[in-house]
Amino acid sequence: MSGPLGRPVGPGPLGSPGRPVTCPCGSGASYDACCGPLLAGARLAATPLELMRSRYTAFAVGGREGLDHLFRTWHPRTRPPRLVEDGLDTDRTWTRLEVLGHGADWVEFDAHYARLDGTAGVQHEHSLFAQRAGRWMYVEAAPDTP
């Protein structure tokens, strides 16, 4: 996912403080069985699709754990220089992820959100990924992404 999209609240009931019970990525699995271990740094994403879902979840749950995951998984060549200092936006709540397609090094998706003023929106992106030292990293949104 490109740029600091926002600091959201996960869609679904929360377990321990700030942690969703159901994973925000839409897999239907529990957070602890799905993206939670990736955000915690306990394991690496095996595919670009898994990484993209975990990055959406990082935006959705926000906080330090989400920000740290985004930093670790953003390719250093394209990572915003002040990502950690600036943190995540707080004007959007991420409500739903739709995966539209994926391949060996890309994922196309729509990330649905609600703004603080109640208006809804969708961020469409065709994300590009690369392996670096055996780890999948988010590189950037494809130039054709509106």
Side-chain angles (χ1 to χ4, degrees), residues 62 68 72 74 87 101 112:
D68 287 349
R72 281 192 313 271
W74 211 316
H112 298 260

Side-chain angles (χ1 to χ4, degrees), residues 55-134:
R55 288 177 56 83
Y56 171 84
T57 297
F59 281 108
V61 300
R64 183 41 123 181
E65 189 172 64
L67 188 58
D68 287 349
H69 180 66
L70 293 170
F71 184 86
R72 281 192 313 271
T73 61
W74 211 316
H75 197 288
R77 179 171 43 89
T78 58
R79 182 188 312 131
R82 295 189 43 86
L83 177 66
V84 173
E85 295 85 356
D86 293 345
L88 300 175
D89 297 351
T90 57
D91 69 338
R92 299 179 194 187
T93 297
W94 298 94
T95 58
R96 182 168 53 99
L97 175 66
E98 281 183 273
V99 176
L100 305 174
H102 60 93
D105 63 355
W106 62 273
V107 179
E108 185 174 6
F109 64 90
D110 285 340
H112 298 260
Y113 59 87
R115 293 189 186 276
L116 291 177
D117 66 6
T119 59
V122 177
Q123 175 167 330
H124 175 81
E125 187 169 313
H126 183 136
S127 295
L128 302 177
F129 298 85
Q131 282 198 304
R132 185 168 195 251

Side-chain angles (χ1 to χ4, degrees), residues 38-53:
L38 281 83
L39 269 68
R43 72 177 187 86
L44 301 175
T47 66
L49 178 59
E50 186 176 32
L51 181 60
M52 187 280 303
R53 285 183 171 282

